[in-house]
Amino acid sequence: MAQNVLIIGASGDIGIAIARQRVKKGDQLILHFHSNHSVITELAEEIASEQVLQIIQADLSMEEGINKLLSSLVFQVDSVIFASGKTEFGLFQDVEEKSFTELLTLHVHAPLKITKQLLPSMIRNQFGRLIFITSIWGEVGASNEVLYSTVKGAQNSFVKALAKEVGASNVTVNAVSPGFIDTKMNGSLLTAERSEIYETIPLKRAGFPHEVAEAVSFLLDRQTSFLNSHILPVTGGWMI
């Protein structure tokens, strides 16, 4: 059965892969993006017009952007995938307070506020799927990415807690926790740095966005409706 799926961060590498996967499943999409207008336009042109319900631009690192997204939604949302994000590299002691606010708003405040608005409808309909793209760093932490590790850990805790609260209404809350994925976020790494990371991954390679999308699709499908409060690792066996 087709769903109306809201993809937060649909212009990112993982968001694009998720959109393509859900289109194959016959879903109708609401695509959110921040600034990659050309990318989201190309994605929308690739998808059959009847499967793109709406495209919404909003900066979710700001309260105004969150409110803009929520006020722009005009369709019922059956499932939400939180795939947007950014990181901050460097020593924690050097992180500027502006970055604190941006990352906490984008990764924690925005998803919580969006979820809060959409939950009543899901509960009334006795169906909903909430999926977060978190990170291996949310489980084990990473030096030089302390703030990113912190907000991803908060997402993991939110998933586990909310899943217990709304499960009786047939609303499931899960997460996919990627390891090292070949995305633009990791594009600045040198070849030698990549090789060093690959040596620590049992599969000896990076993961690909479509592999994360397959994990999301697994959690969204009605055949796996008994999965709840689960943090699904997509790491190639990489556990630091």
Side-chain angles (χ1 to χ4, degrees), residues 4 6 8 19 26 29 34 37 48-49 51 80-82 100 117 125 136 140 150 155 177 227 232 236 239:
N4 288 354
L6 169 60
I8 303 294
L29 308 181
H34 172 209
H37 191 273
S49 58
Q51 287 185 269
V80 189
I81 302 157
F82 294 97
F100 276 43
Q117 176 159 316
N125 294 331
I136 187 175
V140 300
T150 300
Q155 288 185 349
S177 178
L227 281 173
L232 178 62
M239 292 300 295

Side-chain angles (χ1 to χ4, degrees), residues 23 152 158 183 230:
V23 164
K152 288 302 180 180
F158 181 66
T183 64
H230 190 62

Side-chain angles (χ1 to χ4, degrees), residues 49 59 65 80 109 123 126 141 151 216:
S49 58
D59 180 358
V80 189
H109 181 62
I123 291 170
Q126 290 290 290
V151 296
V216 170

Side-chain angles (χ1 to χ4, degrees), residues 70-200:
L70 293 175
S71 63
S72 298
L73 289 171
V74 295
F75 294 94
Q76 173 184 307
V77 175
D78 301 310
S79 298
V80 189
I81 302 157
F82 294 97
S84 66
K86 61 181 290 188
T87 189
E88 179 85 14
F89 295 100
L91 293 173
F92 177 69
Q93 65 203 43
D94 296 331
V95 175
E96 296 183 0
E97 188 170 341
K98 179 183 177 183
S99 295
F100 276 43
T101 303
E102 287 184 352
L103 265 71
L104 283 166
T105 303
L106 177 62
H107 293 277
V108 182
H109 181 62
L112 268 62
K113 188 168 183 177
I114 293 167
T115 299
K116 188 174 187 293
Q117 176 159 316
L118 296 178
L119 264 180
S121 174
M122 292 180 177
I123 291 170
R124 282 195 304 272
N125 294 331
Q126 290 290 290
F127 179 83
R129 298 287 181 266
L130 299 164
I131 298 179
F132 285 74
I133 307 300
T134 62
S135 170
I136 187 175
W137 299 143
E139 300 171 63
V140 300
S143 62
N144 294 301
E145 286 188 85
V146 172
L147 187 53
Y148 183 72
S149 301
T150 300
V151 296
K152 288 302 180 180
Q155 288 185 349
N156 285 341
S157 294
F158 181 66
V159 165
K160 293 175 182 178
L162 185 63
K164 295 175 181 177
E165 187 169 295
V166 299
S169 299
N170 195 33
V171 177
T172 63
V173 190
N174 293 290
V176 174
S177 178
F180 187 80
I181 307 298
D182 189 16
T183 64
K184 294 183 186 70
M185 186 181 287
N186 295 315
S188 61
L189 292 175
L190 300 174
T191 301
E193 292 173 319
R194 284 176 170 269
S195 298
E196 186 176 336
I197 292 172
Y198 294 167
E199 282 304 307
T200 65

